[in-house]
Every structure is written in C-alpha cells, then in structure tokens.
Amino acid sequence: MSTPFPFTAVVGQDDLRLALLLNAVSPAVGGVLVRGEKGTAKSTAVRALSALMPEVDVVPGCRFSCDPHSPDPGCPDGPHEPGAGVARPARMVELPVGASEDRLVGALDIERALAEGVKAFEPGLLADAHRGILYVDEVNLLHDHLVDLLLDAAAMGASYVEREGVSVRHASRFLLVGTMNPEEGELRPQLLDRFGLTVEVSASREPDQRVEVVRRRLAHDDDPAGFAARWADEEAAVRARITGARELLPSVRLGDGALRQIAATCAAFEVDGMRADIVMARTATALAAWAGRTDVLAEDVRQAALLALPHRRRRNPFDAPGLDEDKLDETLEEFGGQDGDGGGDDDPDPGPDGPGGPGGQPEPDDAPQGDGDAAARPEAGEGGEPRPSGAGEQSPVRAAEPFRTKVLSVPGLGEGAAGRRSRARTEHGRTTGARRPRGALTKLHLAATVQAAAPHQRARGRSGRGLVVRRDDLRQATREGREGNLVLFVVDASGSMAARQRMGAVKGAVLSLLLDAYQRRDKVGLVTFRGAAADVALPPTSSVDAAAARLESLPTGGRTPLAAGLLRAHEVLRVERLRDPARRALVVVVTDGRATGGPEPVALAGRAARLFAAEGVASVVVDCESGPVRLGLAGRLADELGGTAVTLDELRADAIAGLVRDVQGTRRAA
C-alpha cells in the first residue's frame, strides 16, 4: 500500500485545509467542494485527510460499518446486539466519474429475488463510505443520475435500492468531498447547494513557496515512508486536535447575537433558501471548537460566511463565485455586539495556530498565496485588452443582454451522454420496450421477464408458488430520455459583421444559446473566422463559462473566409467523433452569408457546406444580415448545409418553437 502525502506537509492552501478540518470536526457541516486549476494539490489534500480522521468502532463482520454502541436496526446484515466492537481507520472511498449505478448504491440479485424471494444484496460505494469520506474527483463530470443518487443519500443519511418491489435500505452518512476544474464545466445549482463549504484554490505566484512545494514533492517521491516519518509528530498533533475539538463541540454556545449576524449576512447576500443559514451556524460552531473555545465570535461568523456563501450567490452560470468582503464586514458590524456573544471585540486565545491554522505547519506555509489569477492568454495585452492582429481590426464589443430561448434539438434518436436536449436511448427515462441484457442486468422489465419465463414452467418442474426463472428469461427495460449534444458555434467575426450595435446583438444571441446549452448539459465549441483564416477559439468543452469569456473578447474586422470557417468546424467535428462517437452535434453558424477573399469564395463555401449535409449533421444558420435590402445569402447557405435559417429576431422565446419544427422537418425530408 502506498504511503500518502502527509496533510500537514501540504504547502499553503490554508482555506482548503481549514474547510477539510472543519468537516472532520463536524461532519454535519455538509462536505467541501474544492474548485481550482489542475495541479494545485486538491486531490493530495483530500486523500491525506483520511489519515487524520479518528478511528471508528464497528460491529465485527458487518459490511455496513454499524456502530456497535447504537447499531442500525434496519441493517441488512443485522439485527446486531449492542456491545463491544472492533476499531478500524475511517475509510476514504473514491467514486469514479464513470461508475455505474450498481457500483454506487449496490446490486440486487434479481433472479434470486424473483425465484426465491431472497434479498441477496451486494453493497456499493455508499455502504463502504458510511462513517468515512466519500471523495468524487471531477465531480462536475459525474452523470446526472449518479448525482441524484448521491444527493439523496447525503440528504437522508441512508441509501435505498428499489427494484421491482424488492427494497433494501442501509445507513450511509459520510463526509462528501468533491474536486473540480471549472474550465471543464460547472455544477448544476442543486448539487452546488448540497456542499456545505466551497474553496477556490490556485497555484501560488510566490517563488519561495513554489520552491518549497517542489522540494517536498520530490522528497516524498524519493522516500515516501521516510518523508511521512518526518511529519509524524505534526500529523499526531492535528489528529489529537480534531479529537479534542469533536469532544468540545457539544459545549460550544451559539448565542442570539451570532445567529442574528448569520441571518443578516445570508439576507444581505440574497442567498436562496435557508440551507446557507444552517451551514453557516454549524461552520461557526466548528470554528469555535477548532480554536478551543466554547463561544462563537464574530470572527467565526465572518470565516463561516467566506466558506459557506460564495457558491450560493451565483445567479447564472457566468457569475464568478465570490463574496464582497467590505459588504460582509459592514453587515457584521451593523448586527454585531447585540448580546455580547457573537459580535464583541474580545479575542480569547484561539489556540496554537488560530482558528484558520491546521496546527504543526512550518513557517513557509504561511507565505502569501498571490492573487491566483490565471496567466494572460497570448492574445491579451496590458490590462486584458486584445492586441491587434491585423489591419482593420476593431476592439471587442460587449454582448447585448441575453434572452430566454427554447430548445434546438438534433432530430432522430441518439445514444449519447445523458442531458436535456435531444431524444435518446438512456438508462433513465420512460420505458419503451424490452431486450435481452447485454452484460449485467440494471433495469428489469418485469412483465417481459414473466412473459419469457411463463411457457417453460411445466418443463422446469414448477411445483410451488414461486416462478422458476432462468438467466435467459431476464429482460432489460429499454428507456427513452434526453441526451446532451455538442453545440458547435461557427461565428463570423469579419468586417461585414463589425458594426458595434450589430455585433453586440450577435454576441447576445450566442450568449443566450450558451445559457441554454448550460441548462441542457451540452458540450460547446467555438470556431471564429475573419481576415484570411479560421480559428478554434474554444475546443469542445463542458465549460460554457470559458465559451462566454472567449466570445466576450472576440475582435472583429477583415475579410470573410466563410469556407475556411466551415472547413475548420468540419475538422473539429471529425476529431470529436473519434473522442466521443456517441455524442451527436448541432452546428450553429452565425453569419450574414457573405464570403470574400480568395478565388471563387462563394462556390468554395457551398462545397464546404455540402460536406455537413452529406454526413447528416444537424445545422442552423443564424442570419445576421441587416438593412432594407437583403441578399438572402444566409438562407442559401442553410440550404447547402441541409439545415434551416433563422433571423436574430426569430431566436427570441416563442419564435424559436417554430424553428425546432423546421429543423426536424428538414432532416426528415432529407
């Protein structure tokens, strides 16, 4: 077994370490979501936490880790009589992004359940994680149906497996920790709200601290056991401090003054619901216990707000998480000190390292973190303004206000990743038929199974009331739901589109469709063309935030190489099919239809468009032509693509409903 990197040896990342430790002290806080760029010790810190968790007493032989002092009366391995147990380390269970539903919640032997009435149950990861840590790396890439199961278990403290009238329930209380890179896509709001705390991590820009990171990483890789031994005393000190804080926690007093500050802060930042207030109260209490105090102070409330509120105040997917600290301080000051226990200036000794320190950390860890900003993109100059890249280029235009749209769907029936756009065969949805299972049975079609087994009962010697079922009789339910697609935007940024008011409207329309793609769990990509060539501004990704940022900074000007834009988009789709062959594409071309530059630009654009039509790629042309005289070039391009054209005005709200019918009707006619 490999030796994990010691928790106390992690350099910097104070907020991350504090959030993890607070959950170790009080699992009721509700877990931690760690957001940040790759290579910032997210996974290292989470895996290291398990070594600091106090041991748990379990019933010998129980697969569900029942507490011997108060065993679960409904445990599938029970009933257990209260008594002595055996101590073991708290587990850290990792949930892979590609895990199946059976692997997460457990599997029932349906054949034995139907034939013998036996609840033969194989526990899943939710059982393994009970009274420990459940860690989901890249939680933003987890399939929606697994997210739903995870949320249910986290909220109820139990996991239920229900199949065709057979039900198994077991306790499942765990510390939920998720890590994610926002560049790969955001979490939906329901899951964001389920995480008690969130922290943003980034690599330090301080050279001395970066040197220390490399030094410790190399030392651990050269001699893991020796490196861990050098940090054993610090690890033991933090472990003892967690145990002490847990014992002190029930004695911590959360007074009316602190509660008023918590309620006022949540109201001031307009967070939805009451979960934020509850999480802040639990976090502030845990902070006081971690500091060795029995009273919650204003500093605890402030720190709790910084950890519990940023991810709860996002109003749309393009809002960056964060909190206005000046506004926070004003609110705390206004509502502080009303009963002497939550707003005073008293500052009792918070412990050896203060409420934010994990204890036992060497001096280099307290170095400044730097501003954490991502490195400027190559095309950006001073102040973030794009550098000119060609004659006639204009500065970026701000997008107009986005508006609500309805669905643009890909015709036919797909088999791509679960989402909310186009019809598809999925594991979840309405049942449309039955088939023989390929591999493990996951969704039994009971009527079809009984129908398959019924003719063979006499030959199988059936004598009792039970049905004699064989493996060949089992039928898998086929279901129809919705899939996410790849929405590839091909945007004309040439001089003919460069009128500021017009380009603002174009960007607003694309931004609106990006919002729709976020809600429907699509991947998005962005190809732009201007001057003499086309560029992939954003390769296909799940991060609509990144697409919106690239769109906002898009410069305009130059000729209109329409053919180059279409050919580059065709190449993007070809590569993406190799990576994800099940995901179908919808190409959205935003242009006025003009083509200039090079020999026969219009004919060349037509030939490029016919490549999409020949491969049956669903497409929509957003016609940006304006003025009293219209040439209708965008409509001709749509015909060449085998798709449909729509004006900017028709993209709004109810007007798009007719567009969906047009897209589907065009594909059926083809």
Side-chain angles (χ1 to χ4, degrees):
M1 182 176 179
S2 61
T3 302
F5 194 90
F7 186 86
T8 51
V10 174
V11 179
Q13 309 297 14
D14 293 338
D15 286 344
L16 169 59
R17 293 181 297 161
L18 176 61
L20 292 172
L21 288 168
L22 292 177
N23 275 272
V25 170
S26 176
V29 166
V32 186
L33 174 64
V34 187
R35 298 164 46 92
E37 59 198 31
K38 52 188 176 291
T40 49
K42 300 188 298 292
S43 299
T44 298
V46 174
R47 294 188 175 100
L49 178 67
S50 61
L52 298 179
M53 298 288 286
E55 291 187 335
V56 294
D57 292 330
V58 297
V59 173
C62 178
R63 297 175 296 167
F64 301 89
S65 302
C66 279
D67 186 343
H69 306 296
S70 57
D72 179 9
C75 176
D77 283 356
H80 305 298
E81 293 296 329
V86 295
R88 66 158 175 78
R91 291 174 179 157
M92 193 198 74
V93 177
E94 295 194 42
L95 173 61
V97 169
S100 66
E101 181 179 334
D102 283 349
R103 185 72 188 97
L104 178 62
V105 301
L108 281 171
D109 190 331
I110 299 296
E111 186 174 349
R112 290 188 64 189
L114 288 176
E116 306 171 29
V118 176
K119 293 183 181 179
F121 181 68
E122 183 66 29
L125 295 177
L126 290 179
D128 293 342
H130 180 45
R131 304 176 68 200
I133 302 171
L134 181 61
Y135 172 46
V136 188
D137 193 13
E138 307 292 355
V139 64
N140 51 324
L141 304 182
L142 198 64
H143 289 300
D144 277 2
H145 70 282
L146 294 183
V147 169
D148 293 335
L149 294 169
L150 198 59
L151 292 180
D152 289 343
M156 297 185 295
S159 175
Y160 293 84
V161 183
E162 305 259 1
R163 290 193 186 166
E164 312 301 340
V166 180
S167 175
V168 173
R169 172 215 167 271
H170 64 82
S172 183
R173 291 182 294 276
F174 47 81
L175 165 56
L176 177 62
V177 182
T179 56
M180 61 174 283
N181 183 348
E183 292 179 357
E184 296 172 343
E186 280 292 349
L187 283 173
R188 70 191 206 204
Q190 294 92 328
L191 184 55
L192 267 177
D193 191 50
R194 288 292 187 181
F195 284 97
L197 310 179
T198 186
V199 292
E200 296 276 339
V201 296
S202 60
S204 172
R205 302 299 184 250
E206 179 64 36
D208 290 342
Q209 198 168 63
R210 296 176 74 97
V211 167
E212 187 63 22
V213 169
V214 175
R215 182 181 291 121
R216 293 187 190 182
R217 183 76 251 180
L218 294 178
H220 174 268
D221 292 346
D222 290 341
D223 182 11
F227 185 82
R230 291 196 291 275
W231 290 88
D233 291 343
E234 287 82 355
E235 293 280 289
V238 174
R239 192 180 298 111
R241 190 173 172 187
I242 292 173
T243 302
R246 283 187 171 188
E247 294 171 352
L248 183 63
L249 188 65
S251 303
V252 176
R253 188 172 70 97
L254 182 66
D256 289 344
L259 278 173
R260 271 193 292 270
Q261 286 184 316
I262 289 170
T265 300
C266 292
F269 285 100
E270 300 180 349
V271 297
D272 295 330
M274 294 298 297
R275 183 174 283 117
D277 303 62
I278 296 170
V279 171
M280 272 190 66
R282 289 172 173 167
T283 305
T285 303
L287 279 162
W290 177 247
R293 290 188 265 100
T294 56
D295 285 319
V296 174
L297 304 180
E299 65 192 60
D300 301 322
V301 176
R302 186 182 193 279
Q303 183 65 60
L306 293 174
L307 293 172
L309 296 188
H311 60 301
R312 291 186 164 90
R313 59 175 300 276
R314 288 167 62 97
R315 306 331 261 178
N316 68 61
F318 306 139
D319 288 340
L323 217 59
D324 184 339
E325 295 194 32
D326 291 337
K327 181 179 179 180
L328 173 60
D329 291 335
E330 290 173 3
T331 304
L332 293 176
E333 183 177 354
E334 180 181 354
F335 290 88
Q338 298 185 28
D339 69 353
D341 61 7
D345 295 326
D346 295 334
D347 186 15
D349 181 10
D353 298 293
Q361 291 289 31
E363 189 65 23
D365 287 6
D366 297 324
Q369 285 292 304
D371 60 13
D373 291 341
R377 287 187 290 272
E379 68 270 21
E382 293 295 323
E385 291 297 325
R387 295 191 183 100
S389 59
E393 180 176 302
Q394 299 184 16
S395 60
V397 179
R398 292 190 62 85
E401 190 70 21
F403 49 83
R404 184 175 179 81
T405 69
K406 291 185 179 179
V407 63
L408 288 167
S409 63
V410 177
L413 194 63
E415 295 183 341
R420 301 177 183 177
R421 183 171 295 278
S422 305
R423 293 173 55 219
R425 299 182 186 91
T426 61
E427 287 293 319
H428 298 267
R430 63 185 182 89
T431 301
T432 58
R435 60 172 174 80
R436 292 181 182 273
R438 296 189 289 266
L441 178 72
T442 55
K443 297 291 182 182
L444 179 74
H445 194 296
L446 182 58
T449 298
V450 172
Q451 187 176 10
H456 308 292
Q457 296 306 294
R458 180 173 296 180
R460 292 173 182 173
R462 175 187 173 191
S463 57
R465 298 177 61 185
L467 192 67
V468 182
V469 179
R470 300 285 185 262
R471 175 70 187 175
D472 289 344
D473 301 328
L474 299 179
R475 295 294 183 270
Q476 174 88 20
T478 57
R479 303 193 173 196
E480 183 178 313
R482 292 279 169 177
E483 67 176 0
N485 298 116
L486 166 60
V487 182
L488 182 61
F489 294 94
V490 185
V491 179
D492 184 348
S494 66
S496 65
M497 301 279 289
R500 299 189 71 82
Q501 183 176 2
R502 183 177 172 198
M503 196 62 196
V506 169
K507 287 188 176 182
V510 178
L511 192 64
S512 303
L513 292 171
L514 282 172
L515 279 165
D516 183 66
Y518 166 79
Q519 294 164 352
R520 301 190 186 282
R521 314 293 288 174
D522 293 317
K523 292 179 73 173
V524 295
L526 179 62
V527 173
T528 64
F529 57 95
R530 52 183 286 275
D535 296 311
V536 181
L538 184 72
T541 175
S542 296
S543 176
V544 295
D545 292 36
R550 301 295 171 87
L551 179 72
E552 191 70 24
S553 62
L554 179 67
T556 57
R559 292 182 178 273
T560 311
L562 177 58
L566 295 175
L567 291 174
R568 180 58 64 92
H570 186 267
E571 176 64 15
V572 169
L573 292 184
R574 184 190 70 79
V575 173
E576 192 63 18
R577 284 193 204 100
L578 298 176
R579 295 173 177 166
D580 191 356
R583 189 181 292 268
R584 297 185 296 163
L586 173 66
V587 176
V588 179
V589 184
V590 184
T591 182
D592 57 9
R594 288 183 171 84
T596 60
E600 298 184 345
V602 176
L604 186 58
R607 288 197 294 271
R610 287 191 289 274
L611 292 175
F612 293 86
E615 295 174 0
V617 178
S619 59
V620 175
V621 177
V622 179
D623 184 357
C624 303
E625 191 174 25
S626 61
V629 179
R630 294 176 177 266
L631 302 179
L633 298 176
R636 297 179 202 170
L637 176 64
D639 292 339
E640 299 277 11
L641 287 165
T644 189
V646 58
T647 65
L648 284 174
D649 291 339
E650 290 171 337
L651 276 175
R652 294 181 176 274
D654 294 338
I656 218 169
L659 174 61
V660 176
R661 291 192 292 271
D662 290 344
V663 172
Q664 294 176 337
T666 301
R667 299 306 308 149
R668 282 195 292 269

